[in-house]
Amino acid sequence: MIRNFLGSAGALALGISAATATVTATEFPFTKFPMGTFGPNNVAQTSLADIDKDGDLDFIDGKRYSDSGEAKLVWWEYQTPEKWVRHDVGGGQKSNASGAALDIDGDGWIDLISGDSWFRNPHDPRAAKAWTRYGIGGTTGTGIDGMGAEEMTLGDVDGDGKPDLISVHKGWTVSLWHHIPKDPTQPWEEHRFGVSTNQGLSVADFDQDGTMDIVNGQNWYANLGGKGLVLEKRPIIPFPVADLQVPGDSPLTTVGDIDGDGDPDIILCSHFGPDLVWAENTDGKGGKWTRHDIALGKNGLHGLRLADFDYDGDLDLYAGENSGKQFIYENDGKGKFIEHMIFSVGYGHQAQVGDVDGDGDLDIVGKPWDGGAHVYMQNLWVENGGKHPVTLRMGPAPRAWSAAVILRIDALGRLEKTEARPRFTGYLLIR
């Protein structure tokens, strides 16, 4: 569901995110295209973002630093489904498998985070031979056993309206979050919390108190006071050690409202293991969780993304094997899932989901952990006649909303332009 503010005829002002709509089809038509190769092994740090500001989504990934003594980060320029061009970003950082994409310096261009460093977009990323690298500072990847983060995510931990960086590595004794300063070339403000894992980071308001909490593997941390200074560890659901495959391991996670009751739930998947489940936020406050199995006995799942692939108003789940089968699990809106195998052979390690080609449906980009072939899995929903009918309802604007971004839509539903609006008087609710 997206809340929108009423602007003018033919305009929608976005207030939150992710529109939903209703269609009747339940098939998920995809085709795939090879992008090229990169490796030879331990490739991760993935993101999807518009690096060159041409209006479509590009792919980012990189190699673990320990393989050659130096990490290497690259971005893949989307030109057509059949043609992706790989460009170097740089090296010198320490990153085990962690990366993120964000406009860090506020110049309107997407920058890249990799382990203990960030790379400034040079504004001509296609021509640039290398991006300027800046250290994050503190102990990330240097002072804690000399290791770069295994996983990271972004979320507003301190409640200032801007994203912070959260990082983990199972070799660390604690987890970290960093506040990004106004001048990001200076050391980032480091905060420590809880114990660390090797993966399983997500961010959501699980106790519905208006502040962002953190999932870290099998536990979540309540953000008491909303500033990230007191993060209290609380359990989710037990995950059998046998399911995790590796001693000291932790499940992958992703979050969203699975059952449509208005609170965030959690998807958990054993690391390269067999079990895929979701934890229902039963009391709506993160105090009681109920395990529901989605699929058991799988092999090597390592890509989880929640998205409304069939535009019926609920969150479906993409789950991809590192090298092998790729699945979409169709949600009935109440948390019961139907499995659809979209490819029997594919690559899903840290796969990313987004509308790469700008046609209105959600595509997938993936690759294997051990390097090699990268693949673009193009969604043919729109090409096959899938539509996004919507229902609209108008109402007064809440006082808490004091600004809006207007999206002007033409008669065919295409985006014509955007503009900022400091004042507004109503909203449109789109389902």
Side-chain angles (χ1 to χ4, degrees), residues 266-309:
I266 307 173
I267 302 283
L268 302 100
C269 175
S270 44
H271 184 197
F272 288 129
D275 291 350
L276 178 62
V277 307
W278 72 277
E280 178 187 355
N281 190 350
T282 312
D283 65 356
K285 300 292 183 180
K288 182 179 179 181
W289 299 88
T290 304
R291 170 173 166 155
H292 302 272
D293 293 343
I294 299 173
L296 306 178
K298 294 301 179 184
N299 179 32
L301 293 176
H302 208 289
L304 297 179
R305 300 289 176 232
L306 282 168
D308 189 5
F309 285 98

mmCIF file of all heavy atoms in Angstrom, residues 266-309:
data_model
loop_
_atom_site.group_PDB
_atom_site.id
_atom_site.type_symbol
_atom_site.label_atom_id
_atom_site.label_comp_id
_atom_site.label_asym_id
_atom_site.label_seq_id
_atom_site.Cartn_x
_atom_site.Cartn_y
_atom_site.Cartn_z
ATOM 1 N N ILE A 266 8.897 -11.602 9.644
ATOM 2 C CA ILE A 266 10.268 -11.866 9.241
ATOM 3 C C ILE A 266 10.345 -13.182 8.461
ATOM 4 O O ILE A 266 9.818 -14.206 8.887
ATOM 5 C CB ILE A 266 11.204 -11.956 10.459
ATOM 6 C CG1 ILE A 266 11.066 -10.710 11.349
ATOM 7 C CG2 ILE A 266 12.658 -12.131 10.019
ATOM 8 C CD1 ILE A 266 11.832 -10.805 12.655
ATOM 9 N N ILE A 267 10.999 -13.139 7.295
ATOM 10 C CA ILE A 267 11.372 -14.344 6.562
ATOM 11 C C ILE A 267 12.751 -14.763 7.040
ATOM 12 O O ILE A 267 13.662 -13.938 7.154
ATOM 13 C CB ILE A 267 11.405 -14.096 5.047
ATOM 14 C CG1 ILE A 267 10.051 -13.603 4.518
ATOM 15 C CG2 ILE A 267 11.879 -15.345 4.298
ATOM 16 C CD1 ILE A 267 9.011 -14.667 4.370
ATOM 17 N N LEU A 268 12.947 -16.061 7.321
ATOM 18 C CA LEU A 268 14.248 -16.582 7.719
ATOM 19 C C LEU A 268 14.595 -17.779 6.847
ATOM 20 O O LEU A 268 13.728 -18.601 6.516
ATOM 21 C CB LEU A 268 14.265 -16.997 9.191
ATOM 22 C CG LEU A 268 13.929 -15.925 10.224
ATOM 23 C CD1 LEU A 268 12.471 -16.070 10.678
ATOM 24 C CD2 LEU A 268 14.850 -16.007 11.437
ATOM 25 N N CYS A 269 15.865 -17.879 6.500
ATOM 26 C CA CYS A 269 16.326 -18.990 5.660
ATOM 27 C C CYS A 269 17.689 -19.444 6.165
ATOM 28 O O CYS A 269 18.588 -18.625 6.361
ATOM 29 C CB CYS A 269 16.433 -18.543 4.208
ATOM 30 S SG CYS A 269 17.126 -19.793 3.106
ATOM 31 N N SER A 270 17.845 -20.743 6.372
ATOM 32 C CA SER A 270 19.130 -21.254 6.829
ATOM 33 C C SER A 270 20.209 -20.987 5.774
ATOM 34 O O SER A 270 19.972 -21.084 4.573
ATOM 35 C CB SER A 270 19.018 -22.743 7.132
ATOM 36 O OG SER A 270 18.305 -23.423 6.120
ATOM 37 N N HIS A 271 21.382 -20.633 6.240
ATOM 38 C CA HIS A 271 22.504 -20.252 5.383
ATOM 39 C C HIS A 271 22.980 -21.454 4.563
ATOM 40 O O HIS A 271 23.572 -22.376 5.100
ATOM 41 C CB HIS A 271 23.636 -19.725 6.270
ATOM 42 C CG HIS A 271 24.811 -19.200 5.515
ATOM 43 N ND1 HIS A 271 26.036 -19.009 6.106
ATOM 44 C CD2 HIS A 271 24.953 -18.815 4.226
ATOM 45 C CE1 HIS A 271 26.889 -18.529 5.219
ATOM 46 N NE2 HIS A 271 26.252 -18.399 4.062
ATOM 47 N N PHE A 272 22.732 -21.430 3.266
ATOM 48 C CA PHE A 272 23.052 -22.542 2.373
ATOM 49 C C PHE A 272 22.416 -23.849 2.861
ATOM 50 O O PHE A 272 22.863 -24.936 2.507
ATOM 51 C CB PHE A 272 24.565 -22.733 2.241
ATOM 52 C CG PHE A 272 25.232 -21.667 1.435
ATOM 53 C CD1 PHE A 272 26.340 -20.999 1.931
ATOM 54 C CD2 PHE A 272 24.766 -21.324 0.189
ATOM 55 C CE1 PHE A 272 26.962 -20.017 1.191
ATOM 56 C CE2 PHE A 272 25.379 -20.340 -0.574
ATOM 57 C CZ PHE A 272 26.479 -19.683 -0.070
ATOM 58 N N GLY A 273 21.383 -23.735 3.691
ATOM 59 C CA GLY A 273 20.761 -24.907 4.280
ATOM 60 C C GLY A 273 19.395 -25.202 3.690
ATOM 61 O O GLY A 273 19.019 -24.672 2.647
ATOM 62 N N PRO A 274 18.592 -26.051 4.377
ATOM 63 C CA PRO A 274 17.388 -26.586 3.751
ATOM 64 C C PRO A 274 16.088 -25.854 4.022
ATOM 65 O O PRO A 274 15.114 -26.076 3.310
ATOM 66 C CB PRO A 274 17.312 -27.989 4.366
ATOM 67 C CG PRO A 274 17.889 -27.814 5.744
ATOM 68 C CD PRO A 274 18.977 -26.784 5.608
ATOM 69 N N ASP A 275 16.027 -25.012 5.059
ATOM 70 C CA ASP A 275 14.717 -24.552 5.528
ATOM 71 C C ASP A 275 14.451 -23.074 5.253
ATOM 72 O O ASP A 275 15.295 -22.205 5.495
ATOM 73 C CB ASP A 275 14.585 -24.800 7.035
ATOM 74 C CG ASP A 275 14.490 -26.286 7.354
ATOM 75 O OD1 ASP A 275 14.341 -27.076 6.409
ATOM 76 O OD2 ASP A 275 14.574 -26.637 8.548
ATOM 77 N N LEU A 276 13.229 -22.809 4.777
ATOM 78 C CA LEU A 276 12.747 -21.463 4.505
ATOM 79 C C LEU A 276 11.446 -21.286 5.274
ATOM 80 O O LEU A 276 10.486 -22.025 5.056
ATOM 81 C CB LEU A 276 12.511 -21.293 3.003
ATOM 82 C CG LEU A 276 11.958 -19.960 2.507
ATOM 83 C CD1 LEU A 276 12.915 -18.810 2.808
ATOM 84 C CD2 LEU A 276 11.693 -20.030 1.001
ATOM 85 N N VAL A 277 11.389 -20.329 6.203
ATOM 86 C CA VAL A 277 10.230 -20.167 7.079
ATOM 87 C C VAL A 277 9.913 -18.679 7.223
ATOM 88 O O VAL A 277 10.690 -17.820 6.829
ATOM 89 C CB VAL A 277 10.499 -20.773 8.483
ATOM 90 C CG1 VAL A 277 10.977 -22.214 8.369
ATOM 91 C CG2 VAL A 277 11.516 -19.946 9.267
ATOM 92 N N TRP A 278 8.722 -18.395 7.795
ATOM 93 C CA TRP A 278 8.467 -17.010 8.191
ATOM 94 C C TRP A 278 7.984 -16.978 9.628
ATOM 95 O O TRP A 278 7.307 -17.896 10.104
ATOM 96 C CB TRP A 278 7.511 -16.299 7.230
ATOM 97 C CG TRP A 278 6.070 -16.681 7.238
ATOM 98 C CD1 TRP A 278 5.500 -17.732 6.583
ATOM 99 C CD2 TRP A 278 4.980 -15.978 7.872
ATOM 100 N NE1 TRP A 278 4.140 -17.745 6.775
ATOM 101 C CE2 TRP A 278 3.782 -16.673 7.557
ATOM 102 C CE3 TRP A 278 4.893 -14.833 8.659
ATOM 103 C CZ2 TRP A 278 2.531 -16.259 8.006
ATOM 104 C CZ3 TRP A 278 3.646 -14.410 9.114
ATOM 105 C CH2 TRP A 278 2.487 -15.123 8.789
ATOM 106 N N ALA A 279 8.397 -15.926 10.325
ATOM 107 C CA ALA A 279 8.039 -15.737 11.723
ATOM 108 C C ALA A 279 6.956 -14.672 11.803
ATOM 109 O O ALA A 279 7.182 -13.513 11.441
ATOM 110 C CB ALA A 279 9.256 -15.326 12.544
ATOM 111 N N GLU A 280 5.774 -15.078 12.259
ATOM 112 C CA GLU A 280 4.646 -14.165 12.392
ATOM 113 C C GLU A 280 4.786 -13.337 13.666
ATOM 114 O O GLU A 280 4.993 -13.877 14.759
ATOM 115 C CB GLU A 280 3.343 -14.960 12.426
ATOM 116 C CG GLU A 280 2.101 -14.100 12.622
ATOM 117 C CD GLU A 280 0.851 -14.939 12.812
ATOM 118 O OE1 GLU A 280 0.931 -16.187 12.704
ATOM 119 O OE2 GLU A 280 -0.219 -14.339 13.093
ATOM 120 N N ASN A 281 4.681 -12.033 13.514
ATOM 121 C CA ASN A 281 4.698 -11.114 14.658
ATOM 122 C C ASN A 281 3.320 -11.194 15.312
ATOM 123 O O ASN A 281 2.446 -10.362 15.095
ATOM 124 C CB ASN A 281 5.018 -9.701 14.163
ATOM 125 C CG ASN A 281 5.285 -8.719 15.272
ATOM 126 O OD1 ASN A 281 5.074 -9.002 16.449
ATOM 127 N ND2 ASN A 281 5.744 -7.527 14.897
ATOM 128 N N THR A 282 3.127 -12.218 16.138
ATOM 129 C CA THR A 282 1.795 -12.624 16.574
ATOM 130 C C THR A 282 1.086 -11.567 17.402
ATOM 131 O O THR A 282 -0.119 -11.334 17.242
ATOM 132 C CB THR A 282 1.878 -13.936 17.375
ATOM 133 O OG1 THR A 282 2.674 -14.879 16.653
ATOM 134 C CG2 THR A 282 0.496 -14.530 17.583
ATOM 135 N N ASP A 283 1.815 -10.913 18.301
ATOM 136 C CA ASP A 283 1.176 -9.894 19.139
ATOM 137 C C ASP A 283 1.329 -8.488 18.577
ATOM 138 O O ASP A 283 0.852 -7.524 19.167
ATOM 139 C CB ASP A 283 1.718 -9.947 20.568
ATOM 140 C CG ASP A 283 3.191 -9.588 20.671
ATOM 141 O OD1 ASP A 283 3.829 -9.363 19.611
ATOM 142 O OD2 ASP A 283 3.712 -9.531 21.807
ATOM 143 N N GLY A 284 1.969 -8.362 17.412
ATOM 144 C CA GLY A 284 2.138 -7.053 16.789
ATOM 145 C C GLY A 284 3.126 -6.164 17.489
ATOM 146 O O GLY A 284 3.315 -5.002 17.092
ATOM 147 N N LYS A 285 3.820 -6.679 18.500
ATOM 148 C CA LYS A 285 4.774 -5.888 19.273
ATOM 149 C C LYS A 285 6.149 -6.553 19.350
ATOM 150 O O LYS A 285 7.015 -6.079 20.074
ATOM 151 C CB LYS A 285 4.248 -5.662 20.697
ATOM 152 C CG LYS A 285 2.922 -4.914 20.766
ATOM 153 C CD LYS A 285 3.075 -3.465 20.322
ATOM 154 C CE LYS A 285 1.773 -2.697 20.465
ATOM 155 N NZ LYS A 285 1.910 -1.285 20.024
ATOM 156 N N GLY A 286 6.318 -7.659 18.651
ATOM 157 C CA GLY A 286 7.592 -8.363 18.682
ATOM 158 C C GLY A 286 7.805 -9.185 19.937
ATOM 159 O O GLY A 286 8.910 -9.690 20.168
ATOM 160 N N GLY A 287 6.747 -9.360 20.760
ATOM 161 C CA GLY A 287 6.873 -10.117 21.996
ATOM 162 C C GLY A 287 6.553 -11.587 21.843
ATOM 163 O O GLY A 287 6.945 -12.402 22.670
ATOM 164 N N LYS A 288 5.815 -11.920 20.796
ATOM 165 C CA LYS A 288 5.447 -13.312 20.553
ATOM 166 C C LYS A 288 5.545 -13.586 19.056
ATOM 167 O O LYS A 288 5.017 -12.822 18.236
ATOM 168 C CB LYS A 288 4.025 -13.601 21.052
ATOM 169 C CG LYS A 288 3.592 -15.048 20.868
ATOM 170 C CD LYS A 288 2.185 -15.285 21.409
ATOM 171 C CE LYS A 288 1.757 -16.730 21.208
ATOM 172 N NZ LYS A 288 0.379 -16.980 21.702
ATOM 173 N N TRP A 289 6.222 -14.677 18.706
ATOM 174 C CA TRP A 289 6.436 -15.025 17.315
ATOM 175 C C TRP A 289 5.957 -16.453 17.069
ATOM 176 O O TRP A 289 6.087 -17.317 17.937
ATOM 177 C CB TRP A 289 7.916 -14.913 16.953
ATOM 178 C CG TRP A 289 8.472 -13.532 17.130
ATOM 179 C CD1 TRP A 289 9.003 -13.002 18.266
ATOM 180 C CD2 TRP A 289 8.553 -12.512 16.131
ATOM 181 N NE1 TRP A 289 9.402 -11.701 18.044
ATOM 182 C CE2 TRP A 289 9.140 -11.376 16.750
ATOM 183 C CE3 TRP A 289 8.187 -12.433 14.786
ATOM 184 C CZ2 TRP A 289 9.363 -10.181 16.060
ATOM 185 C CZ3 TRP A 289 8.415 -11.253 14.092
ATOM 186 C CH2 TRP A 289 9.003 -10.144 14.725
ATOM 187 N N THR A 290 5.414 -16.705 15.885
ATOM 188 C CA THR A 290 4.955 -18.036 15.506
ATOM 189 C C THR A 290 5.635 -18.446 14.206
ATOM 190 O O THR A 290 5.609 -17.689 13.219
ATOM 191 C CB THR A 290 3.422 -18.056 15.306
ATOM 192 O OG1 THR A 290 2.789 -17.593 16.503
ATOM 193 C CG2 THR A 290 2.944 -19.463 14.972
ATOM 194 N N ARG A 291 6.239 -19.613 14.201
ATOM 195 C CA ARG A 291 6.935 -20.108 13.003
ATOM 196 C C ARG A 291 5.949 -20.751 12.040
ATOM 197 O O ARG A 291 5.094 -21.542 12.430
ATOM 198 C CB ARG A 291 8.015 -21.119 13.404
ATOM 199 C CG ARG A 291 8.616 -21.850 12.202
ATOM 200 C CD ARG A 291 9.787 -22.716 12.580
ATOM 201 N NE ARG A 291 10.127 -23.640 11.490
ATOM 202 C CZ ARG A 291 11.330 -24.174 11.291
ATOM 203 N NH1 ARG A 291 12.324 -23.882 12.123
ATOM 204 N NH2 ARG A 291 11.545 -25.002 10.282
ATOM 205 N N HIS A 292 6.102 -20.410 10.748
ATOM 206 C CA HIS A 292 5.339 -21.032 9.663
ATOM 207 C C HIS A 292 6.336 -21.497 8.600
ATOM 208 O O HIS A 292 7.139 -20.699 8.103
ATOM 209 C CB HIS A 292 4.354 -20.044 9.032
ATOM 210 C CG HIS A 292 3.365 -19.456 10.004
ATOM 211 N ND1 HIS A 292 2.161 -20.053 10.302
ATOM 212 C CD2 HIS A 292 3.417 -18.317 10.738
ATOM 213 C CE1 HIS A 292 1.505 -19.310 11.173
ATOM 214 N NE2 HIS A 292 2.242 -18.249 11.451
ATOM 215 N N ASP A 293 6.266 -22.748 8.216
ATOM 216 C CA ASP A 293 7.160 -23.264 7.180
ATOM 217 C C ASP A 293 6.676 -22.842 5.801
ATOM 218 O O ASP A 293 5.486 -22.912 5.485
ATOM 219 C CB ASP A 293 7.225 -24.787 7.246
ATOM 220 C CG ASP A 293 7.906 -25.297 8.514
ATOM 221 O OD1 ASP A 293 8.603 -24.491 9.176
ATOM 222 O OD2 ASP A 293 7.739 -26.483 8.843
ATOM 223 N N ILE A 294 7.616 -22.403 4.984
ATOM 224 C CA ILE A 294 7.320 -22.091 3.578
ATOM 225 C C ILE A 294 7.786 -23.236 2.695
ATOM 226 O O ILE A 294 7.045 -23.746 1.853
ATOM 227 C CB ILE A 294 8.001 -20.779 3.155
ATOM 228 C CG1 ILE A 294 7.486 -19.615 4.000
ATOM 229 C CG2 ILE A 294 7.764 -20.510 1.665
ATOM 230 C CD1 ILE A 294 8.235 -18.311 3.762
ATOM 231 N N ALA A 295 9.042 -23.648 2.872
ATOM 232 C CA ALA A 295 9.596 -24.755 2.094
ATOM 233 C C ALA A 295 10.723 -25.387 2.898
ATOM 234 O O ALA A 295 11.542 -24.686 3.496
ATOM 235 C CB ALA A 295 10.115 -24.275 0.745
ATOM 236 N N LEU A 296 10.772 -26.720 2.924
ATOM 237 C CA LEU A 296 11.805 -27.455 3.644
ATOM 238 C C LEU A 296 12.569 -28.341 2.668
ATOM 239 O O LEU A 296 12.075 -28.671 1.591
ATOM 240 C CB LEU A 296 11.173 -28.306 4.756
ATOM 241 C CG LEU A 296 10.266 -27.570 5.753
ATOM 242 C CD1 LEU A 296 9.674 -28.552 6.763
ATOM 243 C CD2 LEU A 296 11.021 -26.459 6.460
ATOM 244 N N GLY A 297 13.772 -28.700 3.033
ATOM 245 C CA GLY A 297 14.547 -29.615 2.207
ATOM 246 C C GLY A 297 15.135 -28.980 0.971
ATOM 247 O O GLY A 297 15.412 -29.680 -0.015
ATOM 248 N N LYS A 298 15.333 -27.662 0.982
ATOM 249 C CA LYS A 298 15.941 -26.995 -0.166
ATOM 250 C C LYS A 298 17.462 -27.156 -0.117
ATOM 251 O O LYS A 298 18.026 -27.720 0.821
ATOM 252 C CB LYS A 298 15.542 -25.516 -0.189
ATOM 253 C CG LYS A 298 14.057 -25.302 -0.425
ATOM 254 C CD LYS A 298 13.614 -25.920 -1.737
ATOM 255 C CE LYS A 298 12.136 -25.738 -1.985
ATOM 256 N NZ LYS A 298 11.689 -26.428 -3.216
ATOM 257 N N ASN A 299 18.121 -26.610 -1.122
ATOM 258 C CA ASN A 299 19.564 -26.814 -1.233
ATOM 259 C C ASN A 299 20.260 -25.515 -1.624
ATOM 260 O O ASN A 299 20.184 -25.087 -2.769
ATOM 261 C CB ASN A 299 19.857 -27.896 -2.276
ATOM 262 C CG ASN A 299 21.341 -28.144 -2.446
ATOM 263 O OD1 ASN A 299 22.112 -28.020 -1.488
ATOM 264 N ND2 ASN A 299 21.756 -28.480 -3.655
ATOM 265 N N GLY A 300 20.905 -24.886 -0.665
ATOM 266 C CA GLY A 300 21.763 -23.749 -0.993
ATOM 267 C C GLY A 300 21.044 -22.450 -1.257
ATOM 268 O O GLY A 300 21.551 -21.607 -2.004
ATOM 269 N N LEU A 301 19.877 -22.226 -0.661
ATOM 270 C CA LEU A 301 19.213 -20.933 -0.837
ATOM 271 C C LEU A 301 20.068 -19.819 -0.241
ATOM 272 O O LEU A 301 20.540 -19.913 0.889
ATOM 273 C CB LEU A 301 17.842 -20.943 -0.162
ATOM 274 C CG LEU A 301 16.771 -21.859 -0.770
ATOM 275 C CD1 LEU A 301 15.505 -21.808 0.085
ATOM 276 C CD2 LEU A 301 16.448 -21.460 -2.201
ATOM 277 N N HIS A 302 20.270 -18.737 -1.000
ATOM 278 C CA HIS A 302 21.051 -17.618 -0.478
ATOM 279 C C HIS A 302 20.643 -16.297 -1.121
ATOM 280 O O HIS A 302 21.454 -15.390 -1.267
ATOM 281 C CB HIS A 302 22.547 -17.845 -0.672
ATOM 282 C CG HIS A 302 23.379 -17.153 0.355
ATOM 283 N ND1 HIS A 302 23.530 -15.786 0.394
ATOM 284 C CD2 HIS A 302 24.100 -17.631 1.389
ATOM 285 C CE1 HIS A 302 24.313 -15.451 1.394
ATOM 286 N NE2 HIS A 302 24.677 -16.547 2.030
ATOM 287 N N GLY A 303 19.387 -16.200 -1.498
ATOM 288 C CA GLY A 303 18.849 -14.939 -1.985
ATOM 289 C C GLY A 303 17.403 -14.824 -1.563
ATOM 290 O O GLY A 303 16.595 -15.682 -1.914
ATOM 291 N N LEU A 304 17.056 -13.804 -0.782
ATOM 292 C CA LEU A 304 15.684 -13.605 -0.303
ATOM 293 C C LEU A 304 15.253 -12.183 -0.601
ATOM 294 O O LEU A 304 15.933 -11.226 -0.202
ATOM 295 C CB LEU A 304 15.590 -13.823 1.214
ATOM 296 C CG LEU A 304 15.907 -15.195 1.796
ATOM 297 C CD1 LEU A 304 15.770 -15.143 3.311
ATOM 298 C CD2 LEU A 304 14.992 -16.247 1.207
ATOM 299 N N ARG A 305 14.113 -12.011 -1.274
ATOM 300 C CA ARG A 305 13.575 -10.679 -1.527
ATOM 301 C C ARG A 305 12.050 -10.748 -1.483
ATOM 302 O O ARG A 305 11.432 -11.581 -2.164
ATOM 303 C CB ARG A 305 14.014 -10.142 -2.896
ATOM 304 C CG ARG A 305 15.515 -10.017 -3.072
ATOM 305 C CD ARG A 305 16.112 -8.900 -2.251
ATOM 306 N NE ARG A 305 17.564 -8.879 -2.365
ATOM 307 C CZ ARG A 305 18.404 -8.866 -1.362
ATOM 308 N NH1 ARG A 305 17.938 -8.887 -0.124
ATOM 309 N NH2 ARG A 305 19.698 -8.846 -1.553
ATOM 310 N N LEU A 306 11.450 -9.870 -0.702
ATOM 311 C CA LEU A 306 9.994 -9.729 -0.659
ATOM 312 C C LEU A 306 9.557 -8.645 -1.628
ATOM 313 O O LEU A 306 10.095 -7.528 -1.618
ATOM 314 C CB LEU A 306 9.532 -9.366 0.755
ATOM 315 C CG LEU A 306 9.473 -10.504 1.776
ATOM 316 C CD1 LEU A 306 9.282 -9.942 3.176
ATOM 317 C CD2 LEU A 306 8.351 -11.482 1.434
ATOM 318 N N ALA A 307 8.573 -8.953 -2.461
ATOM 319 C CA ALA A 307 8.040 -7.982 -3.413
ATOM 320 C C ALA A 307 6.706 -8.497 -3.930
ATOM 321 O O ALA A 307 6.446 -9.701 -3.910
ATOM 322 C CB ALA A 307 9.012 -7.761 -4.571
ATOM 323 N N ASP A 308 5.868 -7.605 -4.423
ATOM 324 C CA ASP A 308 4.562 -7.996 -4.951
ATOM 325 C C ASP A 308 4.701 -8.302 -6.437
ATOM 326 O O ASP A 308 4.422 -7.472 -7.302
ATOM 327 C CB ASP A 308 3.554 -6.877 -4.713
ATOM 328 C CG ASP A 308 2.132 -7.288 -5.041
ATOM 329 O OD1 ASP A 308 1.895 -8.469 -5.369
ATOM 330 O OD2 ASP A 308 1.250 -6.418 -4.989
ATOM 331 N N PHE A 309 5.119 -9.522 -6.751
ATOM 332 C CA PHE A 309 5.397 -9.890 -8.132
ATOM 333 C C PHE A 309 4.142 -10.001 -8.977
ATOM 334 O O PHE A 309 4.197 -9.821 -10.195
ATOM 335 C CB PHE A 309 6.169 -11.212 -8.184
ATOM 336 C CG PHE A 309 7.611 -11.099 -7.798
ATOM 337 C CD1 PHE A 309 8.021 -11.413 -6.511
ATOM 338 C CD2 PHE A 309 8.558 -10.675 -8.709
ATOM 339 C CE1 PHE A 309 9.352 -11.312 -6.144
ATOM 340 C CE2 PHE A 309 9.892 -10.572 -8.358
ATOM 341 C CZ PHE A 309 10.297 -10.884 -7.066
#
